[in-house]
Amino acid sequence: MQVISGRAIAACCLAWALAATAPAAPSVADFASDGDFSTPTLSPDGNKLAYVTRVGAQRVLMAFDLDTRERVPLVPADTDDFELRWCSFKNDERLLCGFSGVQFMHGDAFPVSRLLSVDVTGRQKAKVLVQNSSLGTSQFQDRVLDWQVNDPRRVLIQVSVSNPPFPDVHSLDVYTGLTSIVQRSRVPILRWSADRQGVLRFGAGFTDSRAIYIARDAAGEPWRTLAKWERGGESFQVLGFGAMPGTMLVEDEHNGRKAIFEMDLSEKNDRQLLFSNPEVDVDEPIYWPVDHRIVGFAYETEKPHRQLFDQDAAAIYGALDQLLPNAWNEVIDASRDGKKLLVSSRADIRPTDYYVLDLVDNKLRRVGSTNPALARSPLSPQQPVRIKGPDGLTLPGYLTLPLGSTGANLPTVIYPHGGPYARDTWGYDAMVQFMASRGYAVVQVNFRGSTGYGESWFEAGLRNWGTVMVDDVTAAARWAIDQGIADPKRTCIVGWSFGGYAALMSAVRENQLYKCVVSIAGVADLRALVNDEKRFYGGRYRARFSIGSDADELKAGSPLRAAERIKAPVLLIHGDDDVQVAYSQSERMARALKNAHKQYELVIVKDGNHSLTRAEWRTALYTKLEEFLARNL
């Protein structure tokens, strides 16, 4: 076993850089610095930005005056146990920021969160809210459910104190930390929602077997059951309150695809279909950040698309798409008067850029990039492809070729996505670009079980982790070989989380196909994963629903139980503070490979989380991945 910290590999990277004598691909350090400008938010007066950036080796929350260009460091974005995940202005002088972290109980890791109130001027010390009050035992403390825009001091938060995990709702003073109760917990409600006037009107929750929605017509009115059903049966997903008073937006099936409907909370009128797409699921409504009105809907086929029905928003988006072509541009924040807009711009060949659009001066100003080290580096375009799958199926996917390559007979990496109930999308992916920059073709596939392609596509993957989904990953590898893209003697499979599981299971089932295998934070034992899920409320049901419960099937679907069938060298990488997939999964897989006398390496990233978000953790990952692929391909 090898334990790597960020400091341990610094000398190695420096030596490699000094030895280079010709222009080369971006370095490991360049890729690992992803996150140099993240979680930006715009003040209500439009004069300040707050964002996370790097100062030396440390990530800090920074305030930036758009007029004077003055920068004020506010608080560290990382501590030993917590990382800043989001910030938003409550008013022009006060930020609220959510931090996520890990705590251990009886040796098991659990996610926790904290809420910080930050003075934008930096003159007053930041204040941790909730934690030091009577509500401080709540596992999650940063769940702001309504910003109470007409009150400069207070927000609504939900915290689970009196009857965990069912939350109470409190009104919180962001200056003093004082709270007052708004709504006591109600079993089994797990999530509360306020309408556009900031009034608590809706609750959703479940037991292990049943789900329920409740609603009320106004503050002080009695709660009533809106819907109740057996979990796993027909249901709809509530997205939020609609534009008209007393209406909610819900997601439900329409002609086999998820669509957006408007629902009357009074139940006097039938649901009205607002938007659907015949090919794919609708992603979400597009809200205008000034007043949170709905201006359109987003969906993704091979690339993301938007359908706008608001003329003002359509004009602004049209101008943005002309100024920033070949990108997915989003208005993500705005000043309260709507005259300044914060814009993110995502593309496949560059990290995300951020801009401020001034509608008075008609100026678009670039304010940052998530990774300035790569902002001007030539990167590889991501090509949508259609892959021939089992039984005549067509599998959607993406192909990324190394720059300057012929596209033929290349060393190739098959890169299945995590989740597994997610999907690969068009846009910059640091892992994909890193591997392409090292000379490898990268193939991604949205196997059955991926989201976005309708209910039947999604359900085909349920309880078929090691069969249907792995079959589709195998089809992607064989397609790349049949197309002449992949050299069959130099094809490897790399995956993260479920993708790591798919990589290991593919090595078991197709042990002649791949020349090497990489599992990052991957699952090796399905039965252990099912048992781990039982730690969380609703986890037992989720595990049965998605993975299964038959002991023999769980055993058959676990690469840990078939290590002797693996022939290719295996690299296992795992952070030891992983909450989602216990790092013991990789440790036990390593022991199984050792006992089977197989070639393997185990790298434990000290303090690393599931996504290895910090630069030093990513540096450890990229350094080892580069060396392993080069040696085996």
Side-chain angles (χ1 to χ4, degrees):
M1 180 179 74
Q2 187 175 2
V3 178
I4 291 184
S5 67
R7 189 175 298 175
I9 51 84
C12 171
C13 292
L14 180 60
W16 180 88
L18 293 175
T21 58
S27 69
V28 164
D30 289 340
F31 278 100
S33 66
D34 201 22
D36 276 1
F37 188 101
S38 61
T39 63
T41 182
L42 186 64
S43 63
D45 62 11
N47 294 330
K48 287 186 175 66
L49 276 176
Y51 57 92
V52 172
T53 189
R54 202 176 306 278
V55 177
Q58 188 176 36
R59 293 172 69 242
V60 300
L61 176 64
M62 187 77 70
F64 175 58
D65 191 298
L66 291 169
D67 294 326
T68 66
R69 304 182 67 83
E70 178 187 10
R71 287 174 168 82
V72 178
L74 300 175
V75 295
D78 298 330
T79 68
D80 290 341
D81 300 316
F82 287 88
E83 290 187 8
L84 190 152
R85 290 298 187 193
W86 63 265
C87 280
S88 189
F89 280 91
K90 170 55 183 169
N91 53 51
D92 291 328
E93 63 180 28
R94 186 68 47 164
L95 281 163
L96 287 188
C97 298
F99 283 74
S100 65
V102 177
Q103 289 187 348
F104 289 86
M105 182 179 296
H106 307 302
D108 292 325
F110 288 88
V112 294
S113 68
R114 300 292 181 261
L115 186 64
L116 198 67
S117 176
V118 182
D119 173 22
V120 179
T121 67
R123 290 190 290 266
Q124 295 182 7
K125 186 178 179 180
K127 182 179 180 63
V128 179
L129 304 173
V130 182
Q131 174 64 23
N132 297 318
S133 72
S134 60
L135 310 181
T137 58
S138 180
Q139 180 180 1
F140 301 108
Q141 301 176 11
D142 70 333
R143 296 187 169 176
V144 178
L145 68 87
D146 190 82
W147 285 84
Q148 303 286 283
V149 294
N150 295 321
D151 187 330
R153 297 184 65 97
R154 307 191 76 85
V155 296
L156 297 185
I157 62 168
Q158 61 177 38
V159 286
S160 301
V161 179
S162 60
N163 189 22
F166 310 108
D168 306 295
V169 177
H170 289 258
S171 175
L172 169 69
D173 188 311
V174 303
Y175 289 88
T176 66
L178 296 176
T179 64
S180 58
I181 189 72
V182 173
Q183 173 65 51
R184 300 285 182 188
S185 65
R186 292 172 62 104
V187 179
I189 302 305
L190 295 164
R191 178 174 62 89
W192 298 98
S193 297
D195 63 20
R196 296 182 67 191
Q197 286 70 47
V199 178
L200 206 64
R201 297 274 311 281
F202 178 80
F206 58 83
T207 63
D208 199 43
S209 60
R210 304 202 70 175
I212 186 171
Y213 291 157
I214 63 174
R216 63 180 179 179
D217 297 324
E221 293 292 316
W223 293 98
R224 54 189 169 79
T225 299
L226 187 65
K228 184 185 294 186
W229 67 92
E230 296 295 322
R231 292 189 71 193
E234 293 297 320
S235 64
F236 55 89
Q237 179 69 36
V238 171
L239 302 175
F241 279 83
M244 299 297 293
T247 63
M248 296 200 79
L249 298 183
V250 302
E251 181 185 82
D252 205 350
E253 187 173 332
H254 178 70
N255 294 333
R257 302 289 184 267
K258 290 181 180 178
I260 307 295
F261 294 81
E262 185 176 68
M263 182 178 69
D264 181 0
L265 275 182
S266 70
E267 302 180 273
K268 295 178 180 178
N269 299 307
D270 293 335
R271 280 190 285 170
Q272 301 295 314
L273 177 66
L274 296 182
F275 185 72
S276 65
N277 183 277
E279 296 181 55
V280 294
D281 297 334
V282 179
D283 286 342
E284 57 189 358
I286 300 174
Y287 293 96
W288 200 245
V290 179
D291 54 10
H292 212 57
R293 73 183 188 276
I294 300 168
V295 296
F297 301 93
Y299 62 98
E300 183 151 359
T301 54
E302 294 174 338
K303 290 186 177 182
H305 306 275
R306 70 176 77 89
Q307 182 73 40
L308 299 171
F309 53 76
D310 184 283
Q311 292 184 351
D312 293 336
I316 290 171
Y317 270 112
L320 286 171
D321 291 343
Q322 285 189 340
L323 293 168
L324 305 169
N326 304 315
W328 175 244
N329 303 307
E330 293 183 90
V331 178
I332 59 173
D333 206 351
S335 60
R336 191 157 293 163
D337 62 9
K339 294 178 180 178
K340 288 183 180 177
L341 306 176
L342 180 60
V343 177
S344 71
S345 181
R346 177 169 62 93
D348 57 338
I349 56 172
R350 59 168 170 78
T352 299
D353 287 329
Y354 293 95
Y355 297 83
V356 171
L357 175 62
D358 190 322
L359 296 177
V360 176
D361 297 335
N362 290 320
K363 290 182 179 179
L364 183 67
R365 175 181 175 183
R366 185 175 179 271
V367 292
S369 166
T370 54
N371 192 337
L374 297 178
R376 291 178 175 79
S377 298
L379 299 177
S380 299
Q382 184 187 43
Q383 308 170 31
V385 293
R386 310 295 283 180
I387 295 168
K388 182 180 178 181
D391 302 322
L393 278 177
T394 298
L395 305 171
Y398 297 94
L399 172 66
T400 304
L401 298 174
L403 287 176
S405 75
T406 62
N409 203 38
L410 296 171
T412 298
V413 171
I414 308 303
Y415 186 51
H417 64 71
Y421 310 116
R423 61 158 289 178
D424 283 316
T425 60
W426 179 87
Y428 173 78
D429 184 305
M431 277 285 289
V432 170
Q433 290 297 336
F434 178 74
M435 291 186 287
S437 76
R438 269 50 190 170
Y440 307 110
V442 182
V443 178
Q444 300 167 270
V445 59
N446 282 320
F447 43 78
R448 283 170 291 174
S450 300
T451 56
Y453 299 95
E455 196 70 14
S456 60
W457 191 270
F458 166 75
E459 289 180 346
L462 294 175
R463 298 171 293 282
N464 286 312
W465 279 34
T467 53
V468 168
M469 290 192 273
V470 170
D471 288 342
D472 290 356
V473 173
T474 300
R478 297 198 185 283
W479 169 86
I481 292 170
D482 292 343
Q483 294 293 309
I485 298 165
D487 180 348
K489 297 180 180 179
R490 295 186 295 165
T491 298
C492 182
I493 184 166
V494 176
W496 201 316
S497 193
F498 171 83
Y501 165 82
L504 292 171
M505 200 63 199
S506 294
V508 169
R509 296 186 60 197
E510 304 290 339
N511 58 13
Q512 301 292 335
L513 185 57
Y514 301 106
K515 303 308 174 187
C516 62
V517 181
V518 181
S519 170
I520 307 164
V523 174
D525 185 351
L526 293 184
R527 187 167 60 181
L529 180 64
V530 169
N531 288 333
D532 285 345
E533 283 295 300
K534 293 177 183 177
R535 295 176 297 151
F536 304 104
Y537 182 79
R540 185 188 304 271
Y541 170 82
R542 287 193 300 271
R544 288 200 310 263
F545 180 73
S546 64
I547 305 171
S549 57
D550 184 274
D552 291 336
E553 290 181 0
L554 294 177
K555 181 178 179 180
S558 297
L560 178 74
R561 310 293 177 180
E564 71 281 356
R565 295 181 58 188
I566 296 176
K567 295 185 177 181
V570 177
L571 172 62
L572 304 163
I573 302 177
H574 219 126
D576 62 4
D577 272 359
D578 191 335
V579 173
Q580 291 170 255
V581 178
Y583 80 98
S584 58
Q585 290 268 356
S586 289
E587 285 190 319
R588 294 176 60 219
M589 187 69 206
R591 287 199 296 270
L593 291 167
K594 181 180 180 180
N595 292 337
H597 307 290
K598 301 298 180 179
Q599 186 178 345
Y600 77 95
E601 292 181 74
L602 171 63
V603 175
I604 299 298
V605 182
K606 183 173 174 54
D607 300 325
N609 59 20
H610 184 69
S611 300
L612 299 177
T613 49
R614 298 187 185 181
E616 59 268 30
W617 302 337
R618 287 277 169 143
T619 301
L621 165 65
Y622 293 144
T623 300
K624 178 52 67 174
L625 179 63
E626 180 176 37
E627 182 271 330
F628 181 81
L629 292 178
R631 173 158 37 92
N632 288 286
L633 292 186

